[in-house]
Amino acid sequence: MPLLKDFFMKYKAVVFDLFTTLTSLRHLKDAPGRFSNQILGISSEEWSDALFNRSRERLTGLITDPVDIIRDIAWKIDPSISEDILNSCAKERRLRFNYCLKHPPAGVVESLLAIREGGYKLGLVSNVDVIEVEGWKGSDLSTCFDTAVFSCYEGYMKPDPEIFGLCSTRLDVAPQDCLYVGDGGNEELIASAKAGMTAVLTSQFLQDTAPEKVMEREKTVNHHIRNLDEILPLLGQLEG
C-alpha cells in the first residue's frame, strides 16, 4: 500500500547511466590488465572515437563474440592488427570490466541504497556490449536497482528514445516522474529530457577523465551534481 508521502512526491524514480556515472575503469587503480588501446598499440583518442562513435553493432547486440567485438572496433583503425593481439585484448578487457562492476568506488552503493530508502525506485539505462556488462549479475550494484536496461540486450541505444521508454515502463513510472542522472555521453542528457525525464549531469568521474566536457554538457541541463550523495538533497529541493 502506498505511503501517504508518496502521493505528494513529484518524482517516483531515479534512473542512472552506468560507466563514468556510477563507476569508472580509470578510477580503479587495482583493476587487472591494461587498457585496450595500449594492447592494440593505438592512441586512446582513436580507440575512444571508434568505441563510442563507430560501433553501434556491438552496443545493440548484433556482435556478441568478445574477439569479434574487438576486431570490429580495432580494424576500423588498423586492419593489420593480428589475431593474437585481438585475442589478448578481448581476454584482458573481459577481466577488467568484470572487476570494474564487482568493485564499485567507495560510497556508490551506499548512495544508491539511501535513495531507495528515501522512497524512490531505481533504474539503469546503459550503452554497453555483452562483455562490458557480463559481471553485472552478482555485483553489489545490481542489487540496488529495480530494473536495468542494457542496450546490447534490447536493440536500442542512447540517444534512441525507445530505451528511456523501456526503463520507465519497467519501473511502472511515467517518464515525467523520473530523474535521469548521467555524465552526458551519447547525448543522454538531451535525449532523456526529450523523453520527458528531468536530466541531471554528474561530473564525479567526468571531471577527471574529460574535464573539458563538463562545462559543455552543463549547458544542456538545469541541474549539475559533483557527487552521488548530492542527489537526495537535490530531490528535496525539487520536491519542495
Side-chain angles (χ1 to χ4, degrees):
M1 187 176 192
L3 299 174
L4 183 60
K5 71 179 182 68
D6 293 340
F7 293 107
F8 300 97
M9 291 170 63
K10 178 179 179 181
Y11 294 96
K12 303 292 191 302
V14 182
V15 179
F16 289 90
D17 171 45
L18 179 52
F19 293 112
T20 325
T21 293
L22 299 179
T23 188
S24 168
L25 266 175
R26 294 188 179 278
H27 290 79
L28 296 176
K29 297 180 180 178
D30 297 328
R34 297 163 289 170
F35 286 106
S36 295
N37 70 286
Q38 294 173 333
I39 301 170
L40 297 168
I42 56 181
S43 72
S44 59
E45 292 79 12
E46 288 176 310
W47 172 255
S48 294
D49 176 60
L51 183 71
F52 296 118
N53 302 321
R54 295 192 284 158
S55 62
R56 185 180 178 91
E57 291 82 4
R58 74 177 177 94
L59 293 173
T60 54
L62 295 177
I63 303 176
T64 58
D65 179 82
V67 179
D68 287 345
I69 287 172
I70 295 298
R71 183 185 297 107
D72 179 65
I73 302 167
W75 278 9
K76 287 171 180 170
I77 303 165
D78 181 0
S80 71
I81 296 174
S82 72
E83 288 293 328
D84 285 345
I85 292 177
L86 295 176
N87 276 278
S88 177
C89 184
K91 183 182 293 186
E92 292 197 40
R93 187 171 186 263
R94 187 177 224 158
L95 286 173
R96 287 171 65 78
F97 274 99
N98 270 271
Y99 185 93
C100 185
L101 291 178
K102 296 292 174 61
H103 298 82
V108 170
V109 169
E110 291 78 6
S111 293
L112 293 172
L113 292 177
I115 295 168
R116 288 193 74 172
E117 290 170 4
Y120 300 94
K121 293 182 178 181
L122 290 186
L124 189 84
V125 175
S126 182
N127 281 1
V128 288
D129 62 48
V130 294
I131 302 309
E132 291 171 333
V133 78
E134 185 180 60
W136 177 256
K137 289 184 179 179
S139 69
D140 289 342
L141 283 172
S142 70
T143 65
C144 300
F145 288 87
D146 297 289
T147 192
V149 179
F150 296 117
S151 64
C152 59
Y153 299 141
E154 306 300 342
Y156 300 112
M157 59 176 281
K158 295 178 285 189
D160 298 345
E162 293 88 349
I163 200 166
F164 299 100
L166 277 173
C167 186
S168 62
T169 296
R170 291 174 186 174
L171 287 170
D172 194 23
V173 171
Q176 292 77 10
D177 296 332
C178 297
L179 210 66
Y180 182 85
V181 181
D183 67 289
N186 303 112
E187 300 179 10
E188 62 182 350
L189 299 173
I190 296 170
S192 62
K194 286 182 178 178
M197 299 179 178
T198 298
V200 179
L201 168 67
T202 174
S203 59
Q204 181 169 348
F205 301 115
L206 187 66
Q207 184 60 52
D208 291 332
T209 58
E212 72 282 358
K213 294 181 180 179
V214 175
M215 188 174 298
E216 169 192 331
R217 294 176 182 178
E218 192 175 31
K219 297 174 183 177
T220 69
V221 296
N222 292 322
H223 310 289
H224 174 196
I225 62 171
R226 291 161 181 81
N227 195 288
L228 294 183
D229 60 16
E230 297 177 36
I231 294 175
L232 274 178
L234 174 61
L235 281 164
Q237 296 172 22
L238 296 174
E239 300 287 6

